[in-house]
Amino acid sequence: MSGDEINPAAVAQAVEDVQGDDRWMSQIWRELFSPLHALNFGIGGDTTCNVLWRLQNGELDNIRPKVTVVWVGTNNHEHSAEQVAGGILAIAQLLTSRLPKTKVVVLGLLARGDGPNPLREKNAAVNGFLRSWLPRLGQAQFLDVGAGFVHSDGTISTRDMFDFLHLTAAGYRAIAKPLSDLLLQILDETPEEKRASLV
């Protein structure tokens, strides 16, 4: 590009709700997370590689959050479960090193597909690795928000995931409540409570 041309990839543009489910500015977000002054840096279709790039290239500049929530990995189709978990761990490690006073909450990957399938098994394996690996970081923790999505017959209801991957409003509410409860618990913890919990 010449110096006079405008780079279309460098022009700020509001996020459009191309999914049609109003997920970006949903009632759930306004109700549970906006009062916490939360910011959403997620981009639909993100992989661990995309998130790492953004974190390494300015997304962490000039911010000091008390808590960071990481929810990525289900779009890493070409990677093994161990590689996906390793990518998520690399994100958590970067956050804990660059933001040493920030608590990191990593959300587990959800089951996907209308019945048992290899991607569902892979996401479950990713969650298993994360449960094992994240406690080593000290200030990072795993939160499994997928309980209740898979029924006893192995199916997922379209009430929760309209296409067996993307959440409906009911699905978002099901994951948002335990996350909100955990965030409130972390944010309400005083320095004295932190010291007492270490004893």
Side-chain angles (χ1 to χ4, degrees):
M1 294 181 69
S2 73
D4 295 334
E5 291 181 62
I6 295 175
N7 178 353
V11 176
Q13 190 173 25
V15 174
E16 294 181 41
D17 180 20
V18 296
Q19 300 293 326
D21 61 0
D22 201 25
R23 75 175 79 183
W24 302 116
M25 293 300 292
S26 71
Q27 176 63 33
I28 299 159
W29 180 271
R30 287 189 295 272
E31 178 186 321
L32 297 176
F33 301 110
S34 289
L36 302 177
H37 307 287
L39 299 175
N40 182 351
F41 290 104
I43 296 176
D46 259 350
T47 67
T48 56
C49 306
N50 303 136
V51 173
L52 274 170
W53 187 90
R54 289 200 314 274
L55 294 176
Q56 294 168 348
N57 288 279
E59 202 159 70
L60 295 177
D61 294 351
N62 303 311
I63 63 169
R64 288 181 179 63
K66 295 176 183 175
V67 183
T68 300
V69 178
V70 177
W71 198 20
V72 68
T74 200
N75 294 320
N76 284 74
H77 306 294
E78 71 280 4
H79 299 113
S80 70
E82 189 171 12
Q83 290 170 330
V84 175
I88 296 168
L89 183 66
I91 292 166
Q93 288 171 322
L94 179 64
L95 289 169
T96 58
S97 68
R98 294 271 310 273
L99 304 169
K101 295 182 179 180
T102 299
K103 297 281 187 186
V104 177
V105 176
V106 175
L107 300 184
L109 301 185
L110 298 178
R112 54 187 292 172
D114 61 345
N117 65 74
L119 288 174
R120 190 183 286 187
E121 293 171 15
K122 179 176 142 181
N123 284 0
V126 169
N127 291 345
F129 285 122
L130 293 173
R131 276 187 191 91
S132 172
W133 296 347
L134 284 171
R136 299 178 199 161
L137 294 182
Q139 66 195 70
Q141 68 185 89
F142 179 81
L143 179 62
D144 184 358
V145 291
F149 284 110
V150 178
H151 301 278
S152 60
D153 63 357
T155 62
I156 295 174
S157 171
T158 55
R159 185 181 90 70
D160 295 320
M161 295 181 188
F162 62 89
D163 60 356
F164 308 110
L165 172 62
H166 298 98
L167 294 169
T168 63
Y172 276 117
R173 187 161 297 281
I175 62 143
K177 183 63 174 127
L179 174 59
S180 173
D181 291 347
L182 177 61
L183 293 177
L184 290 172
Q185 177 188 345
I186 291 170
L187 293 171
D188 284 346
E189 205 172 71
T190 66
E192 293 76 27
E193 290 171 328
K194 288 179 191 171
R195 279 195 293 275
S197 68
L198 297 174
V199 177

